[in-house]
């Protein structure tokens, strides 16, 4: 019988697909995560350099993170305790960082930069 939802723990994944396939899936997942984090950092550096498009991209990503938190699309459930509060910390920090990017004082920083560079 095949499981509808693939396992998430290493032990369960190894039992489900075998050790080699589990290692490959972990390597691919880690590689994808590194590419996404590098992209996130590159956009953040461009925003720091005054690129308005990067501010917009980071703002949209922040809204997306908050939507995952607010609508529980991350499927983490709502459980009392410190764990869920710590799990939501990245989304809350993203929101806290996104707000100053759109304040009137920040607009001057983005307008002062040359376009097309």
């Amino acid at each position: 019988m095949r499981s509808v939802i693939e396992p998430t723990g290493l032990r369960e994944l190894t039992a489900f697909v075998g050790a080699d396939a589990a290692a490959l899936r972990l390597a691919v997942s880690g590689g994808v995560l590194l590419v996404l984090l590098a992209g996130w950092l590159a956009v953040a550096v461009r925003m720091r350099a005054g690129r308005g498009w990067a501010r917009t991209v980071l703002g949209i990503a922040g809204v997306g993170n908050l939507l995952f938190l607010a609508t529980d699309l991350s499927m983490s459930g709502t459980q009392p305790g410190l764990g869920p509060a710590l799990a939501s910390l990245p989304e809350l920090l993203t929101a806290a960082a996104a707000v100053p990017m759109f304040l009137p004082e920040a607009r001057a920083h983005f307008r002062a930069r040359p376009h097309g560079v």
Side-chain angles (χ1 to χ4, degrees), residues 4 12-13 30 43 65 80:
V4 176
E12 293 86 5
L13 183 61
V43 172
N65 280 340

Side-chain angles (χ1 to χ4, degrees), residues 14-108:
T14 303
F16 186 71
V17 297
D20 291 339
L24 178 63
R25 286 185 184 193
L26 289 174
V28 169
S29 294
V32 169
L33 180 62
L34 284 175
V35 168
L36 290 174
L37 290 175
W40 187 259
L41 181 61
V43 172
V45 167
R46 300 309 289 171
M47 189 213 60
R48 177 123 167 100
R51 305 301 183 261
W53 63 266
R55 176 176 65 160
T56 303
V57 168
L58 291 174
I60 290 171
V63 169
N65 280 340
L66 287 176
L67 285 175
F68 273 109
L69 177 65
T71 61
D72 202 28
L73 290 176
S74 63
M75 297 175 55
S76 62
T78 54
Q79 303 164 350
L82 187 60
L86 289 176
S88 66
L89 191 59
E91 287 87 357
L92 297 175
L93 289 175
T94 300
V99 170
M101 292 187 319
F102 294 96
L103 291 176
E105 295 84 12
R107 288 188 198 125

